[in-house]
Amino acid sequence: QEQLVESGGGTVQPGGSLRLSCAASASIFKIYVMGWYRQPPGKQRELVAAITSGGSTNFADSAKGRFTISRDNANNTVYLQMNNLKPEDTAVYYCNANRRVAWGTYNYWGQGTQVTVSS
């Protein structure tokens, strides 16, 4: 059952911008921390940015000052606005929903969307 649906990937030149969208189910969106991860070719998946239900945010150092994460509570959608893109931003980007409880952690993942930055 697909509960996170991503869109917005594509190919851009260095310095360009993209906005990724992730539509979540209401039951997940209301209580889970929403985030974006990415996996460059041949590398491990890494956190890019995250946002809580209350709007608190966290960014990877590589994303600070260039990327913005936001959420539309009315539409259960989280966005990643990516500006001044660099070739090293090239990766498959994954939407993530995370919830930590006393006995462990719950994770949901989107299917991934390709972002390619090249001249």
Side-chain angles (χ1 to χ4, degrees), residues 6-33:
E6 302 164 345
S7 62
T11 301
V12 297
Q13 294 186 339
S17 298
L18 283 173
R19 189 180 73 161
L20 306 183
S21 300
C22 174
S25 66
S27 60
I28 289 176
F29 194 84
K30 295 297 191 297
I31 62 173
Y32 279 59
V33 176

Side-chain angles (χ1 to χ4, degrees), residues 46-115:
E46 63 185 10
L47 175 69
V48 178
I51 186 167
T52 69
S53 60
S56 297
T57 59
N58 185 48
F59 296 91
D61 287 341
S62 60
K64 287 183 177 179
R66 299 189 299 125
F67 294 4
T68 301
I69 188 169
S70 61
R71 56 195 295 153
D72 182 345
N73 293 330
N75 294 297
N76 300 317
T77 302
V78 63
Y79 302 96
L80 184 67
Q81 177 67 46
M82 303 185 292
N83 299 322
N84 192 25
L85 284 161
K86 304 174 180 180
E88 52 262 42
D89 295 318
T90 295
V92 178
Y93 284 70
Y94 296 91
C95 184
N96 170 260
N98 174 267
R99 185 165 74 100
R100 288 170 290 180
V101 294
W103 55 88
T105 303
Y106 292 100
N107 273 298
Y108 291 91
W109 295 94
Q111 79 286 352
T113 184
Q114 178 70 47
V115 171

